Amino acid sequence: MTDIRGAASALRQSSERGAHTMSGYGMLLILLLPIAGVAAAVGQIDRVADWVIVLTLFLSCTLFLFVIAGFYLLQPNQAAVVLLFGDYRGTDRTTGLRWTWPWMLKKKVSVRANNIISERIKVNDLRGNPIEMAAQVVWRVTDTAQALFDVDDYKAFVNVQIEAAVRTIGSRYPYDDFEHQEITLRGNHDQVGNELRTELIARLTVAGITVDECGFTHLAYAQEIAGAMLRRQQAQAVVAARQTLVEGAVGMVEMALDQLSAKNVVELDDERRAAMVSNLMVVLCGERDTQPVVNAGSLYQ
């Protein structure tokens, strides 16, 4: 019983196929027949019986309306889904003037590329920090039957799935990694963008839609923590800058002492060497310009 109910409630997946339609230009020639019939009936109005004229006019008008009702136009990158009393009969993708039976219902579907920018949404990243995200997606319909019959409104379906995919990707990675050891949303745009595209394609396949390009148009910490995170980034930058400065200063002091010893410029004991190292480090690492002090006495005074 469960299997029967599951099979009955399963989605019937549609698949696009070609429709049997005709060129409209050939039907224009047939359209000349009722016009010629009307002209002939009018020309013989005094020579034949009235019922013959009325019948000719009736048949000519009926044929004219029958032919004219089957015409439709298709522009490049546009398709027409043909239905017969609700039954899918195929899709016509041939551009130009087309014709099919008047009782066939034609629904036009654009297969051009569509560009959409999602609304900014608040997402918690991998570390639980609230961030704001928005994405730009270029999508198009590849299967018109699935787009019309497998989802209720394929355009609204795209909007909902974009938001769901952005939330999924946003919660999968941290916004930033100050140690540069992880994949982050801010530091790996191309990789995260490709993963977002893969996620969207998987979600939109059921609607016969593919994604050509996508990426993030907005990515930032939420307002409630933006100030704290900015101060943290500034502190990290200051620490990194000071670390580089200290490493350079130590190298310069070491080079200065080695050259003084190698050239026998001055002989320093351990205490004076430590004092010189201290003075050089202050000069090299200080944030303000140093003021020199001239020693008029000896080195040990």
Side-chain angles (χ1 to χ4, degrees), residues 21-34:
T21 60
M22 293 178 286
S23 174
Y25 301 105
M27 298 304 295
L28 286 176
L29 298 177
I30 299 178
L31 197 63
L32 296 177
L33 295 178

Side-chain angles (χ1 to χ4, degrees), residues 180-197:
H180 305 288
Q181 297 179 353
E182 296 182 87
I183 298 175
T184 61
L185 299 172
R186 189 176 70 91
N188 302 89
H189 287 285
D190 294 337
Q191 183 174 349
V192 177
N194 291 334
E195 190 165 346
L196 175 63
R197 179 174 179 266

Side-chain angles (χ1 to χ4, degrees), residues 31 34 38 54-69 102:
L31 197 63
V38 171
V54 172
L55 180 61
T56 303
L57 291 175
F58 175 77
L59 293 177
S60 298
C61 293
T62 302
L63 180 60
F64 180 84
L65 295 176
F66 177 83
V67 174
I68 202 71

Side-chain angles (χ1 to χ4, degrees), residues 237-273:
V238 170
V239 170
R242 288 186 177 276
Q243 182 177 0
T244 303
L245 183 62
V246 170
E247 290 176 356
V250 170
M252 295 175 66
V253 170
E254 183 179 2
M255 179 179 64
L257 293 177
D258 290 342
Q259 290 187 6
L260 287 174
S261 299
K263 295 181 180 180
N264 296 320
V265 176
V266 64
E267 294 292 336
L268 299 175
D269 56 16
D270 292 341
E271 182 178 356
R272 297 304 175 183
R273 181 183 290 268

Side-chain angles (χ1 to χ4, degrees), residues 17-274:
R17 62 177 183 271
H20 298 287
T21 60
M22 293 178 286
S23 174
Y25 301 105
M27 298 304 295
L28 286 176
L29 298 177
I30 299 178
L31 197 63
L32 296 177
L33 295 178
I35 298 176
V38 171
V42 173
Q44 299 294 328
I45 193 170
D46 295 330
R47 301 177 184 179
V48 298
D50 293 341
W51 67 272
V52 176
I53 296 176
V54 172
L55 180 61
T56 303
L57 291 175
F58 175 77
L59 293 177
S60 298
C61 293
T62 302
L63 180 60
F64 180 84
L65 295 176
F66 177 83
V67 174
I68 202 71
F71 286 109
Y72 62 96
L73 289 171
L74 283 181
Q75 300 176 359
N77 292 318
Q78 191 176 41
V81 176
V82 181
L83 301 173
L84 176 61
F85 304 117
D87 185 25
Y88 174 60
R89 307 301 293 178
T91 299
D92 185 12
R93 288 178 177 258
T94 306
T95 59
L97 182 63
R98 307 295 297 168
W99 189 89
T100 188
W101 302 109
W103 49 81
M104 295 285 193
L105 180 63
K106 285 82 68 177
K107 288 186 176 181
K108 294 183 179 180
V109 178
S110 174
V111 292
R112 303 182 179 114
N114 294 270
N115 186 51
I116 184 173
I117 298 178
S118 65
E119 298 290 337
R120 294 183 182 181
I121 59 175
K122 188 177 294 186
V123 184
N124 291 330
D125 69 354
L126 183 63
R127 294 173 181 158
N129 297 320
I131 59 177
E132 292 181 351
M133 303 179 69
Q136 172 263 339
V137 179
V138 179
W139 62 273
R140 56 186 172 86
V141 175
T142 57
D143 192 305
T144 56
Q146 285 184 293
L148 286 183
F149 306 129
D150 289 357
V151 293
D152 188 43
D153 185 347
Y154 67 91
K155 292 185 178 180
F157 184 79
V158 169
N159 293 330
V160 173
Q161 294 303 321
I162 289 175
E163 180 178 347
V166 169
R167 290 187 181 277
T168 300
I169 299 300
S171 62
R172 191 174 296 173
Y173 297 104
Y175 174 81
D176 202 356
D177 178 26
F178 297 101
E179 297 178 357
H180 305 288
Q181 297 179 353
E182 296 182 87
I183 298 175
T184 61
L185 299 172
R186 189 176 70 91
N188 302 89
H189 287 285
D190 294 337
Q191 183 174 349
V192 177
N194 291 334
E195 190 165 346
L196 175 63
R197 179 174 179 266
T198 303
E199 180 76 17
L200 281 172
I201 291 176
R203 290 174 175 270
L204 297 176
T205 299
V206 67
I209 294 172
T210 189
V211 176
D212 295 329
E213 179 186 349
C214 65
F216 294 108
T217 58
H218 178 76
L219 183 63
Y221 282 114
Q223 294 183 356
E224 56 266 27
I225 66 167
M229 289 301 176
L230 179 60
R231 290 192 295 271
R232 180 180 178 182
Q233 291 177 357
Q234 292 174 342
Q236 291 285 341
V238 170
V239 170
R242 288 186 177 276
Q243 182 177 0
T244 303
L245 183 62
V246 170
E247 290 176 356
V250 170
M252 295 175 66
V253 170
E254 183 179 2
M255 179 179 64
L257 293 177
D258 290 342
Q259 290 187 6
L260 287 174
S261 299
K263 295 181 180 180
N264 296 320
V265 176
V266 64
E267 294 292 336
L268 299 175
D269 56 16
D270 292 341
E271 182 178 356
R272 297 304 175 183
R273 181 183 290 268

